Amino acid sequence: MKRHAFALLSVAAVIIMAVSGCSLESFSASSGVVNVVIGYQSKTINTVTAGTLLRAQGYLEHRLADITARTGTKYAVRWQDYDTGAPITAQMLAEKIDIGSMGDYPMLINGSKTQTNPLAKTEIVSITGYNPKGALNMVVVAPGSPAATLNDLAGSKVSASVGSAGHGTLVRALDRGGIKGVEVLNQQPQIGASALESGQVQGLSQFVAWPGLLVYQGKAKLLYDGAELNLPTLHGVVVRRAYAASHPEVLGAFLQAQLDATDFLNQKPLEAARIVAQASGLPQEVVYLYNGPGGTSFDTTLKPSLVEALKNDVPYLKSIGDFADLDVAGFVQDAPLRAVFGARGRNYDATAAVTANPSLLTGDPAQASELWLDGTDTTQTLANPSSLLRAVRDATAHGAKVRAAYVPDAELGTRWFADKAVWVQDGPNYLPFGTPAGAHRYLTAHPGGAIVNYQQALGGSV
């Protein structure tokens, strides 16, 4: 009887709150504890500064503890992990997640779907990571696939998460190339990976870290790099406006914590990759591909070029379904982040104006390469890919084992695995390309070159 009476009391309390206009947040605050529910994607490693790394380092909890010490208000943080941004949006629409991180297309869908509900309505408050050309999304095919260009997928089935950044890249690339007859299967990334391996689909278009992971595992090869579109792609943070209005100190603490995580990643990328790998279950070599120097640009500021990219994404979203008009300029709010920058004595406008990657290898960014030998917790920077090949050859000749080697695509600049690249020998130089199409474009302009495999490139790099 007591349990039944308690249940009725709980329901009554919720009804009273709803009728009186009180939120669950204010109810929790009155009980002495403010709930903070964070939705993130542990395997979407361009959101790690608002998710996996942030959580593992305890930055948010530390910032909130400082507030508790000053005010006495207590906070309870709950982390919820998802594979894509769509379920985070669904939970925010239900007012069950307060702060979430996701890719560009999912953020716009989030804003569109939540805008009519005052308690669920969201805004973008920061960026986690971005690539100015769009290299965060890629199309891969099975290792034995005869496909050499995106055109070769005409008339076939391709797996993608509809509404995701990976899907957006596929649709735009097909449209730009005038490629018809591609059937898109709406699948979660891990389901799509299995479908590619079993031959149920002929291609997979996804966001990081899936393309790099499958290629690293030998389960796929890169067919199309989203950087060919030369359109920025990004990930960021959305917050429910009602929650932020009720608890501005929580949003401030979150953005402070995100800056903590961003600084740590840019200053200690290899250590950050180790932490993210342990927390996400991804191989550290794959995490470091994207989170290492010259990979994703981790910069929290809402740059005008990225806001413009979001505006340009809207026609795509309208083309794939029911997408209500969204005032993108109003959806993006940089005031909270500006306040955090000011509190730390940083110049927001100066940082927002910077377009260079905050984390780069020394030397020429278009050439600098990186070698990571097994058994070491440091890496070597080489001036160019040809120098890296020589370093790999010399290291293995002395019994060392290469854990990973990274080179920039000679055409697009995308950071990629050296042993998975398509190599072109042009005189004494060896040039890496992420895709066969990129290598052939180079050979069209430089007919004296020739494609060689990785072992041949290693042997010839005297």
Side-chain angles (χ1 to χ4, degrees):
M1 290 295 292
K2 289 182 179 179
R3 183 177 300 173
H4 181 63
F6 179 77
L8 287 176
L9 180 61
S10 298
V11 172
V14 172
I15 292 174
I16 289 171
M17 285 190 295
V19 172
S20 65
C22 294
S23 67
L24 291 175
E25 290 94 311
S26 62
F27 180 75
S28 65
S30 67
S31 67
V33 177
V34 176
N35 289 319
V36 187
V37 185
I38 312 294
Y40 76 113
Q41 304 169 62
S42 64
K43 289 182 170 58
T44 304
I45 57 178
N46 288 304
T47 63
V48 296
T49 52
T52 310
L53 182 62
L54 181 69
R55 181 182 184 182
Q57 294 294 88
Y59 289 132
L60 176 58
E61 289 80 0
H62 293 156
R63 291 286 179 177
L64 292 173
D66 290 341
I67 298 176
T68 300
R70 294 195 306 269
T71 67
T73 302
K74 297 180 180 179
Y75 300 89
V77 180
R78 286 186 288 141
W79 297 86
Q80 297 182 1
D81 188 8
Y82 298 91
D83 291 323
T84 62
I88 297 176
T89 291
Q91 292 294 88
M92 296 187 88
L93 192 58
E95 302 158 38
K96 293 181 178 179
I97 285 180
D98 306 312
I99 302 172
S101 55
M102 58 192 72
D104 38 20
Y105 297 104
M107 281 195 293
L108 290 171
I109 293 172
N110 180 290
S112 175
K113 287 188 173 182
T114 63
Q115 64 183 329
T116 58
N117 180 347
L119 291 180
K121 189 175 182 179
T122 59
E123 61 190 18
I124 299 177
V125 291
S126 68
I127 299 299
T128 55
Y130 74 96
N131 184 283
K133 291 184 177 181
L136 304 183
N137 309 309
M138 295 174 168
V139 180
V140 297
V141 293
S145 171
T149 70
L150 200 62
N151 287 282
D152 295 327
L153 292 182
S156 64
K157 296 179 180 179
V158 177
S159 175
S161 302
V162 171
S164 72
H167 180 224
T169 289
L170 176 66
V171 171
R172 283 184 155 180
L174 294 175
D175 181 64
R176 181 176 290 187
I179 303 167
K180 306 294 184 181
V182 174
E183 180 182 352
V184 177
L185 271 61
N186 183 17
Q187 296 175 325
Q188 294 284 1
Q190 68 272 25
I191 301 300
S194 297
L196 181 68
E197 191 172 9
S198 65
Q200 296 175 22
V201 297
Q202 287 69 56
L204 178 137
S205 184
Q206 282 294 354
F207 47 84
V208 296
W210 290 97
L213 174 63
L214 295 176
V215 170
Y216 173 78
Q217 293 174 331
K219 296 179 179 179
K221 64 180 180 181
L222 184 60
L223 181 72
Y224 183 86
D225 181 350
E228 286 190 37
L229 289 173
N230 198 27
L231 298 170
T233 186
L234 58 128
H235 293 72
V237 175
V238 288
V239 63
R240 289 196 298 112
R241 296 188 185 210
Y243 183 88
S246 297
H247 303 293
E249 81 284 3
V250 173
L251 177 57
F254 185 90
L255 293 174
Q256 288 277 17
Q258 188 190 345
L259 279 175
D260 294 337
T262 303
D263 289 345
F264 180 82
L265 186 149
N266 285 328
Q267 293 164 10
K268 300 180 179 180
L270 195 60
E271 186 177 348
R274 176 186 58 78
I275 294 168
V276 171
Q278 290 176 344
S280 66
L282 291 167
Q284 188 176 348
E285 298 86 349
V286 174
V287 176
Y288 195 60
L289 170 70
Y290 298 108
N291 289 183
T296 301
S297 294
F298 284 92
D299 180 338
T300 59
T301 57
L302 293 149
K303 301 180 186 300
S305 60
L306 301 182
V307 176
E308 191 63 27
L310 289 170
K311 293 178 181 178
N312 293 333
D313 290 339
V314 170
Y316 150 75
L317 289 167
K318 289 185 175 181
S319 75
I320 66 168
D322 185 16
F323 180 82
D325 283 334
L326 176 67
D327 174 17
V328 175
F331 181 45
V332 177
Q333 296 292 329
D334 65 6
L337 187 59
R338 283 180 177 274
V340 167
F341 263 69
R344 292 172 81 130
R346 295 188 182 183
N347 188 319
Y348 179 88
D349 288 321
T351 305
V354 175
T355 57
N357 192 323
S359 178
L360 290 171
L361 297 171
T362 56
D364 179 2
Q367 293 284 323
S369 304
E370 193 170 12
L371 176 60
W372 185 6
L373 296 179
D374 199 24
T376 65
D377 56 3
T378 59
T379 63
Q380 303 173 35
T381 299
L382 289 309
N384 53 56
S386 293
S387 297
L388 178 129
L389 291 173
R390 289 192 292 270
V392 169
R393 188 195 62 208
D394 294 344
T396 53
H398 288 86
K401 182 180 178 182
V402 174
R403 182 164 181 177
Y406 306 97
V407 290
D409 181 299
E411 177 190 30
L412 303 172
T414 303
R415 179 173 161 95
W416 199 236
F417 295 113
D419 62 332
K420 306 298 183 182
V422 180
W423 288 87
V424 169
Q425 180 183 3
D426 189 2
N429 297 317
Y430 288 83
L431 307 172
F433 296 86
T435 66
H440 284 292
R441 283 192 293 270
Y442 179 85
L443 290 174
T444 298
H446 305 81
I451 291 178
V452 295
N453 63 36
Y454 183 56
Q455 292 303 321
Q456 289 172 325
L458 285 176
S461 58
V462 179

